[in-house]
Amino acid sequence: MDDELTAASHMPGRRQRLRDTEATPDAVLAALRTHTRAHLACHGVRDPGDPSHSRLLLSGGELTRRELATERLPNAEFAYLSACHSAAAGEELADEVNPVASAFQLCGYRHVIGSLWTVQDAMGPLLARAVYRNLAAPDGPGPAYALHRAVAELRAHGDYDDPLFWAWVIHSGP
């Protein structure tokens, strides 16, 4: 988590770190209301039978897709969900967008990066560093292209060319 937060700190704008017991659902929602960007490094749980119960596991409790979807955040821009299954669909409506990542879009985030399945712990920081480095570059592309470049970097590295290392992450948005 520290590596990911350090990577995210290179982005411009006001920051607020909620760690451990500070990261309650209420505190996270309050922070989302006052920031345009969010990086959440936590566990994610997919409920394939009822995706509205899919959730992020925070130190101070759970934040469900249903709770997130009720928020209206007109200034939201970019959310990076470094949480397993945060972009995974349910079983009944597998062809429709209904994971936790979509709740971030429903509440206002234009760009959301999330995970389709369980991710090796070492991969999260590697990818986050590459995404934020690309976003912070002088000619910094938007989040979709920053993720594309980051995945290309991983794929070009001999140790990470297997799709299991990079195919888990997706961008949702324009």
Side-chain angles (χ1 to χ4, degrees), residues 117-132:
W117 57 73
T118 302
V119 179
Q120 292 180 354
D121 287 341
M123 295 309 298
L126 278 175
L127 189 68
R129 279 193 299 270
V131 167
Y132 286 116

Side-chain angles (χ1 to χ4, degrees), residues 84-167:
C84 297
H85 306 286
S86 56
E91 291 174 349
E92 293 296 318
L93 303 172
D95 61 339
E96 294 186 23
V97 180
N98 55 14
V100 171
S102 71
F104 275 83
Q105 287 188 293
L106 288 171
C107 66
Y109 286 91
R110 294 187 63 220
H111 299 275
V112 180
I113 291 176
S115 171
L116 293 170
W117 57 73
T118 302
V119 179
Q120 292 180 354
D121 287 341
M123 295 309 298
L126 278 175
L127 189 68
R129 279 193 299 270
V131 167
Y132 286 116
R133 183 179 61 251
N134 287 317
L135 283 171
D139 63 339
Y145 198 63
L147 177 61
H148 173 76
R149 283 184 182 175
V151 167
E153 290 172 27
L154 283 178
R155 290 179 70 182
H157 192 285
D159 293 337
Y160 306 115
D161 58 351
D162 187 302
L164 290 175
F165 289 114
W166 52 264

